[in-house]
Amino acid sequence: MNTTFSRTLLATSTLFISATSMAGGFQVNEHSATGLGRAFAGEAVIADNASVLSRNAAAMTMFDSTSISMGLTMVKPDVSVKDTHYNQLQMNTIIPKLSSSTVNDTSDVAGTEFVPNLYIIQPLNEQWAVGFASYSNFGTGTEFNDDYEASIFGGKTEVKSANIGFSLAYKLNDKWSFGAGVDVIYGIGNLYRDLDYKQCNAFGNKCEINKAKALDISATGIGIGGNVGVVYQVNERNRFGLSYKYSPEVEAEGDVDYLENHLNGITSDSVYLPLPDIAEFSGYHLLTDKVAIHYSYQWIGWSAFDSVDINDVNSEQRISVKEYNWKNSYHIALGTTYYLNKKWTLRAGYMFDKTPVDEITSISIPDSDRQWFSTGFTYNWSNQTSVDFGFTYLIGEDVEVSEVQDLHKPGLVPNPSLTATTHADAILAAIQLSHSF
């Protein structure tokens, strides 16, 4: 998983309206059924089909004929928000104050998505190979019901992203191979939030709930990144892979309707999204003719995601909207493959996925440390064609959330706040068709 444009886009769902609380996105890997079946353990070096392009371009030199791989991943999140206590803004003709209430538990806030992928590797000769990759980094979101009582903290978040990559690899000798590529990252975000408040009479005994639009954004952005990789093959049974992905800051442009802008006479049409770099080390070891083990360590430089800015069209200056101060994160994966016979290959894996969130949390994009339990298989239809299936059950943890909505009116209007417990699990299932010519 572990590309990250989607996680950052998802974060923008609350950056405009949450001045002191924030969390990481519900990010998953959706790059191939083969990798999913082993929790992506060894993914930067195994190279059992063309989907290795999503992790390490250098591995293209391990293919001696044109190879194509295409697949589809289903992502079914299970996100719940419970034990919610909401301090809602109450307006009257005397002094604004907060009104405390308990919000009903909710669990139907994230829908099922289907995410495609496509990879092509073309050897040019015994030393050179080129490749093309197209896959989605994310394809889901959260949407609270319109009648959710704390709409300023819920709302709608719809995020889709895609990565298109072009790569080149060179085999120096029987031991060393090197690769590099260019990544074009495209993302779409549709985000909406309401500011809900009680409007009461001067005595506070007659109230009605009113709503005002706090955020309505529809933006798209393109960023250019890059990647480099190396494969070291000790012998036919043992090899290692190392890759590094550079991620750009993406300027997403579109319609930015932000309540705070209206109050201050500011017009914005762009959001600046800093993205983290990613480094991965993988190993593969064929212990017997039938059994192999493989592993990966992936580091994600989330500390680069310290803040998100919007632009001021009139002054051409950037306005810091939200400080995040996320920390660098990582995942560790261990898997095994059993080559049953010429037709069937079985695999399984486990991953521990560390969240980048430190002290800041949110109900709209719940995140926690996650554990992956994965299994899958390959059926070799022929010597040239194979079908893969992968399944993962992803388990998160309960997170105690505390959010405050800063209305930027100190001493005049109190800030609404919320406490809750969030939990996010997911089921991932994928199918992949691979063919070599």
Side-chain angles (χ1 to χ4, degrees):
M1 110 141 185
N2 222 7
T3 48
T4 50
F5 180 61
S6 56
R7 196 168 201 157
T8 310
L9 268 180
L10 189 56
T12 64
S13 65
T14 58
L15 75 93
F16 293 100
I17 55 149
S18 177
T20 60
S21 297
M22 185 61 210
F26 189 79
Q27 183 193 16
V28 293
N29 286 286
E30 300 164 357
H31 302 152
S32 75
T34 320
L36 185 67
R38 54 179 172 246
F40 295 95
E43 198 66 6
V45 76
I46 294 183
D48 35 21
N49 58 50
S51 64
V52 71
L53 266 177
S54 66
R55 298 302 181 109
N56 190 351
M60 290 193 298
T61 62
M62 300 173 64
F63 294 80
D64 56 12
S65 63
T66 303
S67 296
I68 183 171
S69 184
M70 62 183 73
L72 187 71
T73 301
M74 180 202 73
V75 185
K76 183 177 177 57
D78 180 12
V79 180
S80 63
V81 182
K82 61 182 181 180
D83 303 329
T84 304
H85 298 278
Y86 181 34
N87 295 313
Q88 186 180 39
L89 180 63
Q90 179 175 315
M91 305 291 291
N92 52 41
T93 58
I94 303 177
I95 300 175
K97 63 179 183 179
L98 297 178
S99 175
S100 299
S101 62
T102 299
V103 177
N104 292 331
D105 295 348
T106 183
S107 60
D108 186 21
V109 298
T112 301
E113 294 287 343
F114 295 88
V115 186
N117 60 73
L118 171 66
Y119 308 93
I120 302 172
I121 293 176
Q122 175 63 61
L124 301 178
N125 52 44
E126 292 184 356
Q127 289 184 297
W128 293 92
V130 295
F132 169 82
S134 176
Y135 54 94
S136 177
N137 300 322
F138 202 86
T140 188
T142 57
E143 182 174 4
F144 288 74
N145 292 332
D146 292 339
D147 59 356
Y148 185 68
E149 294 93 326
S151 60
I152 188 64
F153 297 107
K156 177 181 179 180
T157 303
E158 182 183 35
V159 178
K160 297 181 184 297
S161 68
N163 186 310
I164 296 176
F166 303 90
S167 303
L168 177 68
Y170 174 70
K171 184 175 183 179
L172 180 63
N173 52 42
D174 290 340
K175 298 290 187 181
W176 293 96
S177 294
F178 302 90
V182 175
D183 297 311
V184 181
I185 304 168
Y186 176 76
I188 301 172
N190 297 295
L191 315 168
Y192 187 89
R193 296 292 185 276
D194 279 325
L195 171 61
D196 56 282
Y197 59 95
K198 286 184 178 180
Q199 184 68 52
C200 303
N201 62 14
F203 301 100
N205 58 355
K206 292 184 179 180
C207 302
E208 62 180 12
I209 302 297
N210 290 335
K211 291 185 178 183
K213 183 168 61 178
L215 170 68
D216 188 1
I217 179 172
S218 178
T220 62
I222 294 178
I224 305 298
N227 64 85
V228 294
V230 59
V231 169
Y232 177 71
Q233 186 154 324
V234 180
N235 51 44
E236 292 183 355
R237 290 177 172 267
N238 301 276
R239 54 185 180 269
F240 301 96
L242 179 66
S243 64
Y244 187 90
K245 288 182 177 289
Y246 160 74
S247 299
E249 179 182 68
V250 173
E251 180 180 359
E253 299 180 342
D255 298 322
V256 180
D257 191 356
Y258 173 38
L259 179 61
E260 190 68 18
N261 278 6
H262 293 299
L263 299 176
N264 296 319
I266 296 173
T267 301
S268 299
D269 60 7
S270 296
V271 185
Y272 299 95
L273 309 172
L275 303 178
D277 293 351
I278 300 173
E280 181 169 6
F281 172 78
S282 296
Y284 172 86
H285 307 283
L286 184 62
L287 303 182
T288 70
D289 291 340
K290 289 186 174 293
V291 179
I293 61 170
H294 28 86
Y295 46 86
S296 288
Y297 174 86
Q298 188 180 87
W299 171 90
I300 308 100
W302 272 117
S303 62
F305 194 60
D306 54 355
S307 68
V308 173
D309 303 337
I310 62 174
N311 70 328
D312 182 346
V313 172
N314 298 323
S315 67
E316 297 184 354
Q317 294 181 348
R318 290 171 56 152
I319 302 169
S320 179
V321 179
K322 178 70 181 82
E323 299 292 328
Y324 290 92
N325 299 317
W326 283 1
K327 60 184 179 180
N328 294 334
S329 63
Y330 64 89
H331 78 231
I332 299 175
L334 176 64
T336 184
T337 298
Y338 183 68
Y339 302 98
L340 181 63
N341 52 44
K342 292 182 178 181
K343 287 291 185 181
W344 294 94
T345 299
L346 311 179
R347 58 181 61 89
Y350 167 82
M351 179 197 295
F352 174 77
D353 191 5
K354 183 68 175 177
T355 177
V357 178
D358 193 2
E359 298 179 353
I360 304 173
T361 52
S362 171
I363 65 167
S364 62
I365 41 177
D367 197 39
S368 69
D369 294 342
R370 298 180 286 259
Q371 298 187 73
W372 295 53
F373 298 92
S374 304
T375 188
F377 63 83
T378 298
Y379 175 71
N380 294 305
W381 206 327
S382 67
N383 292 333
Q384 289 78 36
T385 305
S386 63
V387 177
D388 289 272
F389 176 80
F391 176 87
T392 288
Y393 184 47
L394 189 154
I395 302 175
E397 299 176 350
D398 284 353
V399 176
E400 301 301 321
V401 173
S402 178
E403 291 194 76
V404 177
Q405 167 59 52
D406 192 347
L407 299 180
H408 305 286
K409 302 294 181 183
L412 298 176
V413 179
N415 295 324
S417 62
L418 172 148
T419 60
T421 301
T422 63
H423 190 98
D425 298 332
I427 291 175
L428 289 81
I431 189 169
Q432 199 91 9
L433 175 65
S434 300
H435 183 78
S436 58
F437 298 89

